[in-house]
Structure formats: C-alpha cells, structure tokens
DNA sequence: GTGACTGCAAATCATTTGCAACTCG
DNA sequence: CGAGTTGCAAATGATTTGCAGTCAC
C-alpha cells in the first residue's frame, strides 16, 4: 500500500488528481524521468493536463524533498526521481543513448571525512558514471 | 608557456582570435564557467564577439575533448572547464550562491572495481558535493 | 583562393509565469 | 466558501541555426 494521501497531508499540500497520478508514475519507474515524459503518460489519464502544471508540481515536490532533481548531461533537461522510499544510489549513464542504471553509493563515510576538511555544511552529493552500454557497444561493432 | 597553437593545430582547427581568447580565459579560471561569463570577458578584447560564436567554439572544444561540460544544478546552465592540463577533480558546490570549490577525487580504484561488475564500457565520472558555504551560513545567521 | 569561421538575426527548446477559472478540504 | 491548484497562453532564458560576409592558412 502506498500512502500517497498521508505523504501529501504531512507536507500540507492538496491531494489533487494530477499530483496523485504524477506520484504514481514516479513510483513505477526506476530511472529518473523528464517532465515531458511524465506529461505524456499523464495525458492518458487526464486529457487536459498541462506540461506547465507538471513542472509546477515537480518543483513543489522537489521543494518538499519528495523528489530529487538529477542533472542530465547529454541534453539539457532536468530529470526527476523519488527521493523517499528509495535507497540512496547513483547512476551509470550511457553517453550514446542516455540509458541509466542505478548504482550503489561508493562514498560511504566520505562525507564525514569531508566535514572535517571544509567549512561547508555538507548536505548531499551526486555521482554520475559515464560509459557506453552493452547495446550501444554492439551497435557500433556491427557497423 | 602555453602551446595554444600546437593544441589547435593538433586537432586540425584554426587558431582564430576568438578561440585564442576563450582558451586564455579558460586557462585562468579555477572554476567551471558559463558561456555567458566567457562572453562578457571576451567583449573587452573583441568588441564584436557574439555569444552564439562562443557557444559554437565551446562545443567545438568539447567535441575535441579540450574542455569538459559540467552540469550546474541550481540554474539550468552548462558550465565548462579545461579537461587538459588540469588534474582530475570534482566540486563542492554551495546550493545558495553557486560558489564552487575543487575537491580531490575520492573514487580512486572505484572505476576498476566497477568495470568488473558491469558490461558498460566506463569512460568517465562526475561527482558533485552539495552544501552551504561559510559565507552563506554567516548570512543566514545574521538575519 | 577557398573552406573554415564569424557576426548577426531569427529560431528552437525547456522551463516559468500571469491570470482567470476551478476544485479540494 | 476561499485559498491552493490548474488550464491556457504568453514570456523568458539558454542554446542553436541559417546565411552571407570575412579571415586563416
């Protein structure tokens, strides 16, 4: 059971149709997705939904810490994924096709170490490993 | 002595005024900068220079591997820094003001380990640590 | 000389915003 | 009811592109 309503109530925001659907979409994906990707799926359920509102909700979720924004590098899009309910991880990204795979965090303990070295107040970190996925390696060889 | 001309010749691109100046700017900064930042400095030397051309040259440099694109997270800007001549490092980024500090890479050996675990061909990685810089911590306290 | 570069203007693309209408609580 | 949300259209801001003139080699 997902407790969407509780999560929303806890943060003091309304449980609208659109938010419910966006949240469900985010629950069902394992990779970070773009606002546009979400909007496309959303249109099946809510014909009238607008991309601008998707952005607004994603920003709301982000401000509340429900989702995380990860930076895509190929194109200039913002990508989002749930930050709650999912364990801390990073991504292995194919620079050819953009495919992403989750990776365990290799920085256990590093943040603590860093806190001693710097005057910054450390909050979070992101790691991206870039490479070429097996599919793209195969495609290149066939040519 | 910088060997700009050699680097350019080696890559088979012409040594134009603008490219020379952009390269010099990149040599003199320790933080990743935006196209706009470069363009502003450039205008002192080359009044007629255009932002679009700066972008074109940055993309050329990037394709040749002379510079690296790092993704800024606060705003949606692309930032660039030299990838040659500078040792491998990452950034500690203030989420309030965007200030960046270089950091040594904590992933020594990790890529090798990863190569055994995955079928991806590993190429590179990026790490960003987010926090609040001493300046911004002070500003908040004073309020 | 000629093809690679540039200035310039206009286009594109992701994201944001203003406002009036709507709807959750 | 009424403040928080949304649809809709229009604005914004970063980056790209087409084209004709210019410059490096």
């Amino acid at each position: 059971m997902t407790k969407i309503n509780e999560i929303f109530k806890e943060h003091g925001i309304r449980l609208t149709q659109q938010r419910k659907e966006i949240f469900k979409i985010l629950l069902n994906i394992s990779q970070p997705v773009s606002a546009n990707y979400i909007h496309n799926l959303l249109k099946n359920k809510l014909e009238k939904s607008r991309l601008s509102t998707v952005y607004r909700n994603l920003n709301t979720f982000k401000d509340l810490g429900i989702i995380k924004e990860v930076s895509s590098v190929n194109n200039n899009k913002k990508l989002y994924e749930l930050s709650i309910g999912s364990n801390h991880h990073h991504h292995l990204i194919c620079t050819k096709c953009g495919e992403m795979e989750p990776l365990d965090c290799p920085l256990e303990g590093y943040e603590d170490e860093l806190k001693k070295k710097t005057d910054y107040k450390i909050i979070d970190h992101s790691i991206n490993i870039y490479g070429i996925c097996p599919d793209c390696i195969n495609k290149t060889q066939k040519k």
Side-chain angles (χ1 to χ4, degrees), chain A:
Chain A
M1 261 319 285
T2 50
K3 302 160 274 182
I4 302 182
N5 28 16
E6 286 174 27
I7 292 171
F8 281 29
K9 193 173 290 176
E10 179 186 322
H11 287 289
I13 62 173
R14 289 191 183 168
L15 180 63
T16 64
Q17 273 299 305
Q18 178 161 152
R19 282 185 183 151
K20 218 185 293 181
E21 294 300 334
I22 292 179
F23 197 81
K24 278 195 217 165
I25 291 171
L26 289 167
L27 273 176
N28 286 320
I29 47 107
S30 58
Q31 310 182 338
V33 289
S34 69
N36 194 51
Y37 175 92
I38 293 173
H39 179 57
N40 280 331
L41 292 184
L42 206 55
K43 279 189 290 192
N44 300 329
K45 299 268 186 171
L46 301 168
E47 300 172 23
K48 286 205 155 186
S49 91
R50 279 261 144 185
L51 186 52
S52 58
T53 317
V54 174
Y55 275 111
R56 265 193 283 233
N57 280 327
L58 288 173
N59 280 330
T60 305
F61 289 176
K62 190 181 64 175
D63 290 344
L64 296 175
I66 299 175
I67 64 175
K68 277 178 111 166
E69 188 180 309
V70 308
S71 40
S72 77
V73 171
N74 286 356
N75 44 48
N76 229 32
K77 280 184 188 166
K78 292 179 180 173
L79 300 180
Y80 304 88
E81 67 179 351
L82 282 182
S83 57
I84 51 178
S86 66
N87 61 334
H88 178 68
H89 66 278
H90 304 289
H91 296 278
L92 173 54
I93 303 161
C94 177
T95 56
K96 295 268 184 193
C97 67
E99 189 72 16
M100 290 184 166
E101 282 200 17
L103 279 181
D104 291 340
C105 181
L107 291 192
E108 297 303 334
Y110 177 68
E111 283 201 2
D112 293 334
E113 191 184 316
L114 198 58
K115 277 174 189 162
K116 290 172 199 158
K117 286 190 196 159
T118 177
D119 291 330
Y120 274 58
K121 180 184 172 199
I122 309 295
I123 295 175
D124 194 14
H125 64 255
S126 76
I127 302 180
N128 290 319
I129 314 279
Y130 301 104
I132 303 184
C133 71
D135 275 5
C136 288
I137 295 174
N138 286 335
K139 278 180 202 158
T140 317
Q141 287 176 337
K142 278 174 192 163
K143 273 180 190 170

